[in-house]
Amino acid sequence: MRSMNLMYGSTVGFPTTKWLIKEGANSRSGYMRVTRSAQYKTNLWYCAVPTLSVENKKNNRKVRQGLSGSMSEKKAQAWLRRL
Amino acid sequence: MDSNNLMEDHGELQAIITGGFKRLNHARYILLTIPQGKEEDAKAFVKEVVPKVTATEFIKTIPKYSPNKNTWEGIWGLNVAFTHSGLKKLGLHESTLDGFSRPFKEGMNDPERSIHLGDIGDNAQKNWDFGARGEKKGTTDMLLLLFASTEKNVDTELTRWKDKWEKHGLETLIPPIDSHVLEDGKEHFGFKDGIAQPIVKGLGKENIFNTTPINTGEVLLGYRDQYYEFPRNPIVPDTKGEFYKLPLIHEGDQHQYAFGTNGSYLVFRKLRQYVNRFWTYLAEQTKTDDAAKSEEAMVKLATKMVGRWPSGVPLAKYPDHDPIDPKKKVDDEIWLLKNNDEFLFDNDDKYGDKTPRGSHIRRSNPRDSLRNDPNESQEISQKHRMLRRGRTYGNPVEKDLKPIDLLNKNDDSEDRGLVFIALCGDINRQYEFSQKDWIDGPKFDDLYTESDPVIGNHCPRNDGMVTNTFSVPQCPVRHRVKDIPQFVEMKGGAYFFLPGIRALKYLTTL
């Protein structure tokens, strides 16, 4: 909610925020209305890896990083959880 | 309208909203279509139904713990709901029809919607028993819900109503669905069902586990929802029928007559369960040389998939074994264990060691476990809950529903499963979101290739995502099972609207 307001709070028609981060996107109907009114149909888009989410990729990076270097027992257990 | 105690507001709500007709263990679900040209006859039928609809006020008069079974003799309950096409045929004005929410107007069988709801592959509309778009038998228009305490009573009532709807020219889309409550409130796979329900402000339910209540508008139109806004409420013009008897809504200094107040959207889905397929898969995954150990492992894996033991006790409280001794009589302590809804995940189960992150109950209600922010997660979870009022249908494979018996009796030919019924104020936010992003979503809680192991769709998807694995966190590394078949298949459904009592009466004046 907070990051939504920070990113989009200055756009035209966005529901009024309070102190930059409060309200705004939390006014659900207002948010839905302004979003729908500004939507365009996308005819073409490209996704590099369609089957992985951003969090998946971040996790994969951490797995890769853990393959080299040394680790404590505790860190090794945390790393194994990522698999 | 602000929600005080709605239970004081006698006779405003259909009884299914405040309770699932708890003591009436037998039910019949009747799906009706109004054939072309039979609209006036259908109105006459509705005129006969409405005076007999059971409101919450009546349910309050039924003794809670009746030692004398005869007190229940002759008591039956009736509730009614309509689809958009049904309301149109019954003469609701265009402007009122337009005031309903988009999913309700478009219908559950909208082809685009089916992709989002996971009604593809084995769940696709072409495999449905009723309700598919363009079905020759007709559109799904009306749902009657009949309840009684014995099989004989419910069938007597069913016959009575059948004579009436046939007299008025209405037709059923499928034979009435037979339902009776199974052993210990379990569903067909052998797990106790319907345990965690949200506490809704104003509906008078006792908050035993001190869970945070949700706003009335999450279930009923005409009240503020979890965003503190009023859900869209269809209004009627002051030109037709007895509009002046309907509840008012105020907008500034204007007031209008609302059809939707005290009503709720009713999501109806007939879900067929393949019991032998379920236990056979689990048995194969946990096979060892020791028969007793295999059985224990098989039940444990199933429990990890669900998130609760077959008895209902949550893994969050008892991660290693089920504390219930089946031979002991159920007392208050045992009841509390089985129905426990007082647990969270963030503090002592972040990685899903007790209740796996992809398990059914964690997906249906993530509580405080999302995105490493327990407060925001709780706030989010509270915006996607629904009141579940469905029941099992069909005969159990074995009356006692013991896993080993369910495995050994190779019988998936009989139609049995769950009639899923959810009441909500916003179909898209509460039902569709949970179904698409949490239950069927392979990226729920940042997982990779798994959807809900029990009820999720495991068919190949257009976007290439794999969904048929399940991982159980373990030391040193997780245990993953693959190639999970489809255990539950969608066999038909619709979005209905369950009107308040005054709205029902208004309908009869059109």
Side-chain angles (χ1 to χ4, degrees):
Chain A
M1 250 4 118
R2 292 184 288 275
S3 38
M4 292 277 270
N5 288 347
L6 280 171
M7 283 194 282
Y8 298 108
S10 325
T11 55
V12 175
F14 198 81
T16 321
T17 57
K18 253 189 184 159
W19 297 104
L20 257 192
I21 55 174
K22 286 190 184 289
E23 295 194 8
N26 217 27
S27 155
R28 183 171 187 266
S29 50
Y31 171 74
M32 296 292 266
R33 231 189 328 263
V34 68
T35 309
R36 283 224 183 280
S37 70
Q39 282 181 320
Y40 285 88
K41 194 158 187 163
T42 313
N43 290 318
L44 178 72
W45 67 93
Y46 173 75
C47 176
V49 190
T51 56
L52 292 180
S53 70
V54 172
E55 290 299 321
N56 288 162
K57 291 178 198 168
K58 280 155 78 175
N59 190 52
N60 287 357
R61 191 202 314 144
K62 287 264 155 67
V63 170
R64 214 170 37 243
Q65 286 170 344
L67 288 173
S68 55
S70 60
M71 253 189 229
S72 66
E73 184 66 30
K74 201 170 166 209
K75 284 228 160 99
Q77 281 186 5
W79 180 85
L80 281 170
R81 278 195 186 288
R82 293 188 179 277
L83 296 175
Chain B
M1 239 199 228
D2 258 323
S3 53
N4 291 311
N5 196 346
L6 274 171
M7 291 296 273
E8 299 302 321
D9 214 354
H10 289 295
E12 280 291 329
L13 310 175
Q14 292 202 48
I16 198 171
I17 291 177
T18 48
F21 291 91
K22 267 208 164 67
R23 306 273 172 258
L24 307 180
N25 283 346
H26 294 263
R28 297 286 180 266
Y29 299 106
I30 302 136
L31 294 143
L32 294 165
T33 182
I34 301 171
Q36 289 270 37
K38 291 284 178 191
E39 289 82 6
E40 290 305 313
D41 293 274
K43 286 186 192 176
F45 176 65
V46 170
K47 278 201 176 79
E48 291 201 58
V49 170
V50 166
K52 299 293 187 187
V53 166
T54 315
T56 52
E57 168 193 55
F58 174 76
I59 289 291
K60 279 200 293 180
T61 65
I62 298 178
K64 207 172 171 198
Y65 294 104
S66 171
N68 182 8
K69 266 212 169 125
N70 287 335
T71 321
W72 292 99
E73 216 34 51
I75 292 183
W76 52 276
L78 173 70
N79 273 179
V80 63
F82 307 91
T83 58
H84 195 248
S85 59
L87 288 171
K88 186 170 181 171
K89 288 178 188 171
L90 291 170
L92 216 56
H93 194 263
E94 274 306 316
S95 59
T96 315
L97 289 167
D98 192 54
F100 285 97
S101 71
R102 198 139 83 103
F104 180 72
K105 293 192 287 193
E106 290 175 357
M108 190 190 276
N109 57 12
D110 176 84
E112 280 285 328
R113 182 156 276 109
S114 284
I115 300 172
H116 291 289
L117 296 180
D119 292 340
I120 56 169
D122 293 337
N123 288 356
Q125 287 190 37
K126 62 172 162 41
N127 299 326
W128 288 9
D129 297 333
F130 77 95
R133 179 140 298 193
E135 176 166 4
K136 284 197 204 78
K137 275 193 228 135
T139 54
T140 312
D141 293 324
M142 204 166 140
L143 168 69
L144 288 177
L145 305 104
L146 260 181
F147 302 91
S149 57
T150 66
E151 183 103 32
K152 191 163 131 282
N153 280 359
V154 78
D155 280 329
T156 308
E157 281 315 309
L158 179 63
T159 314
R160 213 156 63 86
W161 287 106
K162 182 165 188 273
D163 288 339
K164 287 192 213 262
W165 79 62
E166 282 182 347
K167 181 178 86 188
H168 291 287
L170 281 86
E171 287 164 13
T172 52
L173 291 162
I174 51 168
I177 303 175
D178 260 18
S179 164
H180 66 272
V181 173
L182 301 181
E183 184 78 25
D184 199 25
K186 292 185 177 183
E187 49 73 53
H188 284 286
F189 292 143
F191 285 83
K192 190 151 166 47
D193 195 14
I195 299 173
Q197 297 272 20
I199 301 289
V200 183
K201 288 186 192 165
L203 293 187
K205 201 97 186 182
E206 208 188 325
N207 196 351
I208 307 173
F209 297 105
N210 276 319
T211 45
T212 319
I214 55 177
N215 290 342
T216 316
E218 293 293 285
V219 175
L220 297 178
L221 265 55
Y223 303 87
R224 291 187 188 273
D225 64 19
Q226 205 64 7
Y227 280 88
Y228 214 60
E229 295 178 337
F230 287 99
R232 193 166 168 183
N233 196 338
I235 51 179
V236 307
D238 52 4
T239 50
K240 248 184 166 217
E242 291 176 8
F243 57 89
Y244 44 84
K245 290 189 180 169
L246 283 172
L248 285 168
I249 48 174
H250 305 272
E251 238 165 278
D253 52 358
Q254 277 205 318
H255 65 252
Q256 287 166 314
Y257 296 97
F259 180 82
T261 302
N262 291 326
S264 182
Y265 287 107
L266 190 153
V267 178
F268 185 99
R269 286 168 75 84
K270 181 178 178 231
L271 302 172
R272 180 167 175 172
Q273 290 176 261
Y274 293 88
V275 179
N276 187 258
R277 201 185 284 174
F278 180 76
W279 287 108
T280 303
Y281 175 81
L282 290 162
E284 282 168 3
Q285 297 299 317
T286 51
K287 212 167 27 194
T288 63
D289 292 324
D290 182 330
K293 282 218 172 75
S294 296
E295 184 183 339
E296 199 185 318
M298 172 182 87
V299 175
K300 181 95 186 261
L301 179 57
T303 303
K304 284 287 182 183
M305 285 185 172
V306 173
R308 287 181 185 264
W309 294 96
S311 64
V313 176
L315 275 171
K317 296 272 178 180
Y318 287 87
D320 299 309
H321 68 278
D322 186 345
I324 304 271
D325 178 356
K327 293 188 209 77
K328 269 179 97 178
K329 194 164 160 265
V330 180
D331 57 16
D332 282 340
E333 191 189 328
I334 291 183
W335 188 93
L336 280 171
L337 275 172
K338 285 188 186 198
N339 289 284
N340 193 300
D341 191 26
E342 197 178 8
F343 53 91
L344 294 171
F345 298 124
D346 183 67
N347 253 334
D348 55 8
D349 199 12
K350 209 187 216 98
Y351 301 104
D353 294 324
K354 298 181 193 172
T355 313
R357 284 151 62 204
S359 63
H360 175 66
I361 70 162
R362 203 153 163 158
R363 283 175 182 272
S364 322
N365 183 11
R367 299 165 198 248
D368 64 344
S369 68
L370 297 174
R371 306 321 234 95
N372 273 318
D373 189 338
N375 285 328
E376 180 147 322
S377 177
Q378 283 269 54
E379 204 186 308
I380 293 171
S381 296
Q382 293 284 72
K383 289 173 176 164
H384 301 290
R385 304 212 60 193
M386 319 162 253
L387 275 184
R388 288 171 300 140
R389 291 285 183 253
R391 294 190 181 191
T392 51
Y393 75 88
N395 295 317
V397 172
E398 279 290 331
K399 184 171 162 292
D400 291 331
L401 295 164
K402 286 207 199 69
I404 195 73
D405 297 330
L406 298 177
L407 168 70
N408 289 331
K409 190 136 185 250
N410 189 346
D411 171 25
D412 269 343
S413 59
E414 208 179 307
D415 186 9
R416 58 175 66 87
L418 188 80
V419 170
F420 174 80
I421 293 178
L423 299 173
C424 51
D426 186 328
I427 298 175
N428 174 259
R429 172 166 58 86
Q430 293 164 268
Y431 165 64
E432 296 185 336
F433 176 83
S434 315
Q435 178 76 55
K436 175 178 183 222
D437 287 288
W438 285 354
I439 296 289
D440 283 331
K443 303 303 169 188
F444 168 76
D445 206 17
D446 308 324
L447 292 164
Y448 280 73
T449 52
E450 41 188 289
S451 67
D452 187 306
V454 182
I455 70 168
N457 190 318
H458 300 134
C459 300
R461 286 163 54 134
N462 278 342
D463 57 9
M465 298 264 201
V466 172
T467 53
N468 57 5
T469 71
F470 177 67
S471 49
V472 183
Q474 253 174 35
C475 214
V477 83
R478 85 295 178 270
H479 172 58
R480 179 170 285 154
V481 293
K482 296 186 185 173
D483 298 318
I484 303 180
Q486 194 82 350
F487 298 130
V488 174
E489 282 176 14
M490 165 65 169
K491 286 297 179 193
Y495 289 146
F496 292 94
F497 186 71
L498 187 89
I501 300 295
R502 277 194 272 172
L504 283 176
K505 290 184 180 155
Y506 165 80
L507 255 187
T508 64
T509 65
L510 288 176

